[in-house]
Amino acid sequence: MKYIFVTGGVVSSLGKGLAGASLGTLLEHRGLRVTLQKLDPYLNVDPGTMNPLQHGEVYVLADGAETDLDLGHYERFTKCTLTRENNLTSGQVYETVLSNERRGDYLGKTVQVIPHITDEIKRRIRSFEQVGNVDVLITEIGGTTGDIEGLPFLEAIRQFILQVGHENAILLHVTLVPYIKAAGELKTKPTQQSVAKLREIGLQPEVLICRTEKPLELEVREKLSLYCNVPVDAVIEARDVDNSIYEFPLMLQAEGLDEKVCKLLRLETPPADMERWKKIVHSIVHPSRRVKVAVVGKYVELQDAYKSIYEALCHAGGANDCGVDLEIVDAEDIERDGAGKHLGGVTGILVPGGFGDRGTEGKIAAARFARENRIPYFGICLGMQIATIEFARNVCGLAGANSTEFDPATPHPVIALLDEQKKVTGKGGTMRLGSWPALLQPGSLAQKIYGHTEIAERHRHRYEFNGDYREQMEARGFVISGTSPDGTLVEIIEYSDHPWFIAVQFHPEFLSKPEAPHPLFREFIRASMR
């Protein structure tokens, strides 16, 4: 196996995950088998209990692991199907080492960061060797070089590269080359300082990926090469893409990144054939028409909180030769101003997931607006529960209908806690998580969209449709078109008297890729176009 480590310097949010995913795309198109891994320095065991406004979305894998959103980039940009082995946090490392110590595995030795913590990190990196179907592992280290919490990971990488040899493991450093407008020039000093910090702990990057607003002229590249001890041809320009993140692999290919990486790792492969990828990007960047779709959420202040939703809508637009203009609406604004003010000009309404009662009445108003005005509606997780509450109240006449999550004393608990959740007290990793099968009703809109009667989708929820209200609601046009195989859990609902109204309990956005848009998103955009 070959190993590529990706670190970041100067500032956070430089796009290390995107750079790693894009390199993975290029290497796959060279015929290599690639997987990706994220090492996160925070002490949380996983991001499942973290606020989406602080950390961004929680990305759920097929095996139920709650992971960092960068794993979404990895799966979207490559053919990988990742598992919990692909995301490691400091919390997991320390939890494992301390459990080993309590069990007596270290035979009375003093447990230390070196070697015990670093050995556990290296063990997780090496775990992919046993899989046997991977040529290249790309490992991203979260945070910024110099952060105290990231030092054990960097030390583990230093040891690892020394052990496997530089012909088998290389380091890519993503850094910022800022443009100072007053001086009218790019500044290399932040990158020099960042690389110097790496070299202090024994790491020398073989490649620099330089985030910049302006072109890297030869003079700047030569300066970076001289002061950072990197060949000029390994100074890679990474300018902000103009229209779509899916242009980024093409930009890196033009800079020769994949060719340089293959030479460093002694990988003999043909050039990456990116023609199909170029066609997909063209359909996303240059659509022949546009639609305006509202996303009514409660974490709208941070774009990363609904990252996979936005990307799935982008994929769906490309599949329909249609640009998707997003109207990002805070559900609390609808509560204050009414739905008409914020949703009057849109041709589709999507209500995503979330937790807690803040903004829920605004989401209920959005679902009602979509139903009454016959606007295509797509509800995801909480968006399905919201639609159920709205229908119960305003079509079935069940005054005060609600979810027990929002109102434990509701007279009509149309959404209630899953039976398996009633004795759960811990928060982390205790929801219904991961990929679960579902059966679709033949002839339903959902079945026609999927083209199958059996599907599997990823879940992340504690509450469900209350079956006690099924008969009463179905009598008024509430269609349950997808259930768990035993028929006990409602997975998909539709409205019989509506041109396109679908809400699902799962998260289809996690399975959408630019080369394979999710069918529900694809048809939601098609309905919005109509």
Side-chain angles (χ1 to χ4, degrees):
M1 275 186 64
K2 304 293 185 178
Y3 299 88
I4 301 169
F5 297 100
V6 182
T7 58
V10 184
V11 295
S12 60
S13 301
L14 283 178
K16 298 186 299 297
L18 188 56
S22 296
L23 177 58
T25 302
L26 294 172
L27 295 180
E28 274 196 346
H29 283 79
R30 282 176 168 262
L32 295 166
R33 298 168 300 175
V34 177
T35 194
L36 295 100
Q37 180 185 43
K38 178 76 182 285
L39 307 182
D40 265 315
Y42 53 72
L43 283 173
N44 303 67
V45 173
D46 60 48
T49 58
M50 296 168 73
N51 188 335
L53 286 174
Q54 180 189 60
H55 183 264
E57 76 174 359
V58 175
Y59 188 82
V60 180
L61 303 180
D63 66 355
E66 295 176 290
T67 68
D68 183 80
L69 62 85
D70 278 315
L71 276 78
H73 284 316
Y74 304 163
E75 286 199 331
R76 282 189 286 273
F77 276 72
T78 68
K79 297 181 176 67
C80 298
T81 299
L82 307 179
T83 71
R84 60 185 69 252
E85 293 295 311
N86 295 80
N87 194 194
L88 179 66
T89 70
S90 288
Q92 292 173 19
V93 174
Y94 282 92
E95 185 179 53
T96 300
V97 169
L98 291 175
S99 295
N100 293 346
E101 185 272 330
R102 293 287 83 189
R103 202 166 51 235
D105 290 3
Y106 302 123
L107 299 177
K109 294 178 181 177
T110 301
V111 179
Q112 297 175 291
V113 173
I114 303 173
H116 300 99
I117 297 298
T118 52
D119 281 354
E120 176 60 20
I121 294 169
K122 289 188 292 181
R123 185 193 69 78
R124 281 291 292 267
I125 295 170
R126 282 192 177 277
S127 67
F128 294 93
E129 293 177 357
Q130 282 87 54
V131 177
N133 62 349
V134 177
D135 299 315
V136 181
L137 170 65
I138 302 174
T139 300
E140 174 195 351
I141 295 82
T144 305
T145 299
D147 294 345
I148 190 169
E149 59 265 31
L151 291 176
F153 288 107
L154 296 178
E155 170 60 20
I157 290 168
R158 183 194 69 78
Q159 296 174 20
F160 188 89
I161 293 175
L162 187 66
Q163 290 164 2
V164 302
H166 286 276
E167 71 278 7
N168 294 315
I170 61 172
L171 178 64
L172 276 60
H173 191 53
V174 183
T175 181
L176 179 68
V177 181
Y179 178 74
I180 307 301
K181 189 174 181 181
E185 60 181 356
L186 293 168
K187 291 294 184 181
T188 64
K189 187 65 71 176
T191 297
Q192 294 177 42
Q193 295 293 334
S194 180
V195 172
K197 181 66 71 174
L198 277 174
R199 292 167 74 178
E200 282 177 14
I201 49 183
L203 286 169
Q204 168 64 52
E206 280 83 4
V207 177
L208 292 179
I209 299 178
C210 303
R211 284 295 302 272
T212 174
E213 298 176 34
K214 303 288 183 179
L216 285 185
E217 303 295 345
L218 179 59
E219 181 182 357
V220 176
R221 293 181 192 241
E222 289 175 340
K223 191 174 182 180
L224 286 166
S225 169
L226 177 65
Y227 286 101
C228 298
N229 197 32
V230 172
V232 174
D233 67 345
V235 178
I236 304 297
E237 176 186 294
R239 265 189 288 170
D240 297 343
V241 291
D242 294 327
N243 301 292
S244 170
I245 60 172
Y246 302 107
E247 296 175 282
F248 199 48
L250 303 176
M251 180 185 294
L252 294 180
Q253 184 186 38
E255 284 285 305
L257 175 63
D258 55 323
E259 184 69 27
K260 181 67 179 177
V261 165
C262 287
K263 284 182 179 178
L264 287 167
L265 292 174
R266 279 77 163 172
L267 290 166
E268 295 185 7
T269 65
D273 181 2
M274 299 297 287
E275 287 306 312
R276 182 161 181 254
W277 192 273
K278 288 177 183 177
K279 290 178 182 176
I280 292 168
V281 171
H282 185 271
S283 68
I284 291 172
V285 174
H286 301 290
S288 62
R289 56 203 137 175
R290 308 195 71 83
V291 292
K292 182 183 285 189
V293 170
V295 176
V296 182
K298 59 190 296 182
Y299 311 121
V300 296
E301 296 96 324
L302 182 68
Q303 183 179 1
D304 283 349
Y306 297 120
K307 187 65 176 174
S308 293
I309 296 277
Y310 300 152
E311 293 308 314
L313 288 169
C314 172
H315 307 159
N320 284 291
D321 189 24
C322 178
V324 181
D325 297 324
L326 295 180
E327 187 78 19
I328 309 301
V329 181
D330 191 322
E332 290 183 289
D333 291 342
I334 293 179
E335 290 179 353
R336 185 187 64 243
D337 306 323
K341 180 176 179 180
H342 297 281
L343 304 177
V346 304
T347 59
I349 296 171
L350 187 152
V351 176
F355 297 91
D357 62 355
R358 181 177 63 84
T360 54
E361 291 300 324
K363 290 189 173 189
I364 290 170
R368 181 174 187 174
F369 187 85
R371 178 178 57 81
E372 293 180 343
N373 291 279
R374 302 176 67 76
I375 298 171
Y377 176 91
F378 189 11
I380 294 175
C381 197
L382 178 60
M384 177 269 208
Q385 297 172 6
I386 287 294
T388 301
I389 294 167
E390 190 281 321
F391 194 92
R393 287 181 187 177
N394 300 312
V395 178
C396 299
L398 301 175
N402 214 327
S403 166
T404 54
E405 179 184 7
F406 314 137
D407 180 10
T410 174
H412 296 291
V414 292
I415 302 294
L417 198 63
L418 285 159
D419 287 341
E420 66 203 53
Q421 292 287 318
K422 289 177 180 176
K423 294 182 181 179
V424 172
T425 56
K427 297 291 185 188
T430 57
M431 288 183 274
R432 186 174 191 240
L433 292 165
S435 184
W436 293 80
L439 300 181
L440 306 185
Q441 181 179 315
S444 65
L445 179 57
Q447 187 270 319
K448 291 174 182 175
I449 289 172
Y450 276 99
H452 306 283
T453 55
E454 298 182 24
I455 61 169
E457 293 279 3
R458 298 183 190 179
H459 292 67
R460 185 175 186 253
H461 66 106
R462 296 187 192 278
Y463 293 80
E464 63 163 328
F465 177 83
N466 186 344
D468 292 344
Y469 291 88
R470 179 169 184 164
E471 186 175 336
Q472 185 177 359
M473 294 182 69
E474 285 183 324
R476 301 302 300 271
F478 189 87
V479 178
I480 294 174
S481 58
T483 66
S484 57
D486 62 4
T488 58
L489 300 180
V490 173
E491 298 280 20
I492 307 177
I493 64 168
E494 305 173 11
Y495 291 169
S496 59
D497 185 26
H498 195 284
W500 206 97
F501 196 109
I502 286 187
V504 299
Q505 184 60 76
F506 45 82
H507 288 270
E509 68 271 23
F510 294 149
L511 293 184
S512 188
K513 298 173 182 276
E515 295 179 293
H518 194 285
L520 289 175
F521 279 90
R522 184 192 67 225
E523 295 307 311
F524 170 60
I525 294 303
R526 187 168 295 172
S528 299
M529 291 162 57
R530 288 197 296 269

